[in-house]
Amino acid sequence: MNTLRHTLLATLLAFSIGATPALAADMTVPPSGILGVSDAQLTPEFWVAHLIDGDKVVLDRVAIAAINERVARLDPSMHDIRHLTAALPRDQVKGWIEKLTSKPGKALFDVAGKPVTTAAIDDVMTNAAIDAIPAQVTPRYGMAVRRSALRGYPTDLRVFSHADDTDIDRFQESTLFPGDPLVTVHTSKDGKWVFVVSPRYAAWMHADDVAYGDAAKVFAHTDATPYRVITGAKPLTVYTPEAPAVSELQLDMGTRVPLDTSLAPDQPVNGQSPYASWVLSLPVRDEKGALSFHPALLQRNQDSSADYLPLTHANIVRQAFKFLGERYGWGHAFNGRDCSGFVSDVYRSMGVQMPRNTRDQSISPGLTHTVYTDKDSHDARVKAAMALEVGDMVYIPGHVMMVIGKIDGQPYVIHDVGGMSYRQADGSLRRVKLNEVSVTPLLPMMSSHDKTFVDIMTSIARIR
């Protein structure tokens, strides 16, 4: 997720660095207004066809496991919930909560464009009940039973920085998916919210989206084999009136779900033959909040795999394009995802576990980075951009883009982005609203401060 409000932009601009091929000034502007992008470029096949050895494995399972271990061990944004102590000190829990839940210092607006009152904010802060945290907290293990929003505050109140812009809810943080393990460490005053710590994020979620069991039960299911990895954007389980809790349940890309191998293959599951589906084992919550598991069907014609996909350039492109055109959703809101959620979900389908937020990804000590500062010249930055490879992630303040290839030597990216702008032939700046997963060229893109993205690039991450 981005840490800054970003309406992202692109620019028609010629660079003067000698032999740079296919300058942006040569790019055409189609009727869509999206500089340098034709209809043909909106298919993964177009970009896969331009790859050399696209199906060559970039990293094998052992190498990916090493990256995951390094990120989990070194990155402070990650949480090792498997090895928490039986009692957590108040200061640790309070620190997690107050990292997100502090009284806003700036004016906020509701969905109707009206100022959020001080009284409303005070009610939310009171509901957080931070002063009620005991000296010692016993973490309760559990699992998310559905796609569930992670919030910075224990409320569904949507708030925005500007009265006329309701795209970025400042109280929205991230999302958990069915089967994600977690611990709860605090409950709101009204009992409707719990503060949870998951491997990649700590925030508030609806209390009734959590099912509780002991740690052994939770992690036995998390680690169970055989399993399916969801490789589609967001397929649904089969509709079943017999088991509403697992009926048409959304499973986002990269989610790993164990198979239920206890059932006879010639017997119905939830009133339906399983022969054309995979029988999944999904967590459910009973009326008392206890965790159990129930079979659910995922049709075989939905995108899933018996294991994580091989990490290849072709798979990176194919997986990224499954989200093309999806509405931008800050913190996975609007049943979508934001820029960092997008790239992490793509890589998650190949087994790579990345930090959740843009800034954390861009500086993670567990990933391989090339860092850029004010000391790096424009020419050096453009040279680095010209050397980008498919799958590389390019970071600017508050945003990340994924490289998908080159056309006439110009690097192109796919990213979940609010908008773009570029300079037209007469030098004027044209802005185009996107608000979706989009394909754009990289070099022409500009920030709202009239600087190219290349000139404000903070790092390049390469999963190698």
Side-chain angles (χ1 to χ4, degrees):
M1 184 179 64
N2 311 341
T3 56
L4 302 173
R5 170 70 176 97
H6 58 275
T7 300
L8 298 173
L9 315 165
T11 175
L12 181 53
L13 192 66
F15 290 97
S16 57
I17 60 168
T20 301
L23 297 180
D26 299 330
M27 293 182 180
T28 59
V29 181
S32 67
I34 311 305
L35 173 69
V37 179
S38 66
D39 286 350
Q41 291 162 239
L42 299 180
T43 67
E45 291 80 11
F46 175 91
W47 299 96
V48 171
H50 283 72
L51 296 174
I52 298 174
D53 293 330
D55 292 322
K56 180 182 178 181
V57 174
V58 176
L59 285 179
D60 61 20
R61 292 282 169 258
V62 173
I64 291 173
I67 290 177
N68 292 343
E69 187 278 331
R70 193 164 63 242
V71 169
R73 175 169 46 86
L74 299 177
D75 196 303
S77 72
M78 307 293 277
H79 305 284
D80 181 9
I81 65 171
R82 291 179 184 249
H83 301 102
L84 292 176
T85 57
L88 304 173
R90 175 197 290 122
D91 287 348
Q92 182 176 3
V93 173
K94 187 177 181 182
W96 282 330
I97 297 175
E98 289 186 334
K99 182 178 180 181
L100 300 179
T101 315
S102 59
K103 192 167 184 177
K106 296 181 179 179
L108 296 170
F109 302 87
D110 63 19
V111 292
K114 297 180 180 179
V116 178
T117 65
T118 300
I121 295 297
D122 287 343
D123 287 345
V124 172
M125 295 301 298
T126 298
N127 196 36
I130 295 175
D131 291 342
I133 301 172
Q136 296 290 318
V137 176
T138 301
R140 295 185 67 192
Y141 282 85
M143 282 185 155
V145 297
R146 61 184 65 89
R147 193 186 205 268
S148 184
L150 290 177
R151 308 280 291 167
Y153 299 77
T155 178
D156 284 319
L157 175 67
R158 299 179 67 229
V159 301
F160 311 95
S161 297
H162 306 281
D164 59 350
D165 187 346
T166 57
D167 279 329
I168 296 183
D169 175 4
R170 291 300 178 182
F171 285 179
Q172 177 71 14
E173 291 291 328
S174 189
T175 294
L176 291 182
F177 304 108
D180 278 349
L182 55 85
V183 295
T184 65
V185 295
H186 188 53
T187 303
S188 63
K189 183 178 180 180
D190 64 9
K192 296 180 179 180
W193 295 85
V194 287
F195 194 90
V196 306
V197 182
S198 70
R200 293 203 304 162
Y201 222 83
W204 296 94
M205 69 185 289
H206 281 286
D208 59 6
D209 287 349
V210 179
Y212 294 98
D214 62 41
K217 185 174 186 178
V218 167
F219 293 118
H221 188 266
T222 300
D223 299 334
T225 58
Y227 54 85
R228 300 296 294 180
V229 174
I230 303 303
T231 55
K234 42 190 177 185
L236 305 177
T237 59
V238 171
Y239 172 79
T240 169
E242 293 86 355
V246 296
S247 177
E248 293 189 322
L249 193 69
Q250 183 170 310
L251 302 170
D252 287 57
M253 181 181 288
T255 303
R256 168 179 159 157
V257 189
L259 294 177
D260 189 329
T261 59
S262 67
L263 304 174
D266 62 347
Q267 296 301 305
V269 174
N270 302 331
Q272 178 180 336
S273 169
Y275 93 102
S277 301
W278 301 106
V279 184
L280 307 180
S281 176
L282 288 168
V284 295
R285 170 189 169 99
D286 69 14
E287 64 278 2
K288 294 183 179 180
L291 173 67
S292 61
F293 301 101
H294 199 284
L297 298 180
L298 178 69
Q299 292 169 236
R300 288 180 182 246
N301 60 10
Q302 299 297 299
D303 286 349
S304 73
S305 174
D307 203 347
Y308 293 102
L309 296 174
L311 203 169
T312 68
H313 287 162
N315 278 341
I316 290 171
V317 170
R318 294 187 185 108
Q319 291 303 98
F321 269 78
K322 290 178 182 180
F323 292 117
L324 184 69
E326 180 185 75
R327 173 69 181 246
Y328 176 87
W330 175 271
H332 275 72
F334 300 150
N335 200 31
R337 60 218 78 232
D338 53 34
C339 63
S340 55
F342 163 65
V343 299
S344 63
D345 284 356
V346 169
Y347 268 108
R348 199 163 61 111
S349 69
M350 287 166 274
V352 179
Q353 302 295 326
M354 296 170 56
R356 170 62 181 86
N357 285 350
T358 300
R359 183 178 183 278
D360 294 326
Q361 291 177 9
S362 70
I363 62 173
S364 175
L367 300 177
T368 301
H369 296 92
T370 303
V371 176
Y372 295 89
T373 69
D374 293 341
K375 296 180 180 179
D376 293 292
S377 69
H378 169 78
D379 287 1
R381 289 166 174 269
V382 173
K383 182 178 180 180
M386 299 303 294
L388 288 166
E389 298 180 6
V390 172
D392 287 352
M393 290 166 288
V394 181
Y395 293 88
I396 65 171
H399 188 55
V400 57
M401 301 157 279
M402 179 182 289
V403 178
I404 54 172
K406 292 180 181 177
I407 300 176
D408 296 327
Q410 286 282 346
Y412 276 70
V413 293
I414 186 169
H415 49 146
D416 210 342
V417 61
M420 64 183 294
S421 77
Y422 52 87
R423 293 204 177 281
Q424 302 181 98
D426 62 2
S428 63
L429 195 66
R430 179 175 179 178
R431 291 182 171 87
V432 181
K433 188 176 182 68
L434 289 169
N435 224 16
E436 63 183 338
V437 177
S438 308
V439 172
T440 68
L442 172 61
L443 293 184
M445 299 180 69
M446 292 181 66
S447 74
S448 57
H449 301 293
D450 204 27
K451 292 184 177 181
T452 69
F453 276 17
V454 169
D455 284 323
I456 61 172
M457 181 170 64
T458 60
S459 71
I460 295 171
R462 178 168 292 173
I463 306 298
R464 296 289 189 275

